[in-house]
Amino acid sequence: MAKQERAVRTRESLIRCAAEVFAREGYVSASLSHISRRAGVSNGALHFHFEAKRELARAVEDEAARRVRVITGDVPAADGVRGDALQGLIDATHGLMAGLAEDVVVRAGFELGGEPALGAKAGVRRYWQAWVEDMLVRAEREGRLAEGMTPEGVAPAIVAVTVGFEVLGGTDSGWLTGQRIDAFWELILPRLTGEAV
């Protein structure tokens, strides 16, 4: 049992250290030997868990996706309570920006999604886009969108802005602040919701 727990801790450490290296150096420049040294394990231990750099990168993306699902609430909340869809969307954008600013795994997972060398399909970004679209469909059903506003019309703007903040935040963390996302919502909410909301 202790051996199993140690293997789990080693795997988690490798994923975190790989995320740090990928976020700093990029996928192509990152080396497995640098990642294993950073994690404090041998190359053999790294290869026991991950046969190749691509597999390790996919593990980082998978873990980032799991963490983003927690942010978006797809992993059930401990208290089981969910607010309205529009408020959930606003809260999740704040959570995502905080995750990108503070959690290297989330940040690296987003970056790896756009890595051409991986043949990536923008995994975490695609999940985020689908989730935003779903929340706007719910908001429309709840009567929260203003007349003339549709999920199909609004989702691209919200996704583009949040992913834009993510990209710009890679070099300037000021893009990932609560004030920045507040300013975005203050701009879009009056048109998005109408007076009743």
Side-chain angles (χ1 to χ4, degrees), residues 39-115:
V41 301
S42 68
N43 283 337
L46 185 147
H47 286 289
F48 172 79
H49 291 279
F50 304 100
E51 289 184 22
K53 185 165 66 168
R54 179 182 298 264
E55 187 181 334
L56 181 53
R58 292 291 184 229
V60 171
E61 283 188 286
D62 290 346
E63 179 58 20
R66 187 195 67 76
R67 292 177 188 197
V68 172
R69 282 193 302 275
V70 170
I71 291 168
T72 61
D74 277 7
V75 174
D79 60 7
V81 175
R82 294 181 189 260
D84 69 65
L86 200 51
Q87 187 61 55
L89 179 57
I90 294 166
D91 293 346
T93 57
H94 279 279
L96 179 63
M97 294 307 118
L100 289 164
E102 300 164 8
D103 187 340
V104 71
V105 174
V106 172
R107 189 167 54 253
F110 265 84
E111 291 171 8
L112 288 168
E115 176 55 57

Side-chain angles (χ1 to χ4, degrees), residues 104-180:
V104 71
V105 174
V106 172
R107 189 167 54 253
F110 265 84
E111 291 171 8
L112 288 168
E115 176 55 57
L118 284 172
K121 298 179 210 124
V124 182
R125 288 179 184 159
R126 189 175 310 282
Y127 165 77
W128 174 250
Q129 176 182 345
W131 185 82
V132 168
E133 291 166 353
D134 288 347
M135 292 302 279
L136 288 167
V137 167
R138 275 186 50 196
E140 182 179 48
R141 277 196 306 254
E142 293 169 358
R144 310 288 282 173
L145 300 186
E147 189 174 326
M149 292 287 123
T150 64
E152 300 80 21
V154 175
I158 294 172
V159 171
V161 167
T162 52
V163 171
F165 286 172
E166 173 249 322
V167 171
L168 293 167
T171 55
D172 178 359
S173 61
W175 286 98
L176 303 175
T177 63
Q179 293 85 359
R180 191 72 70 155

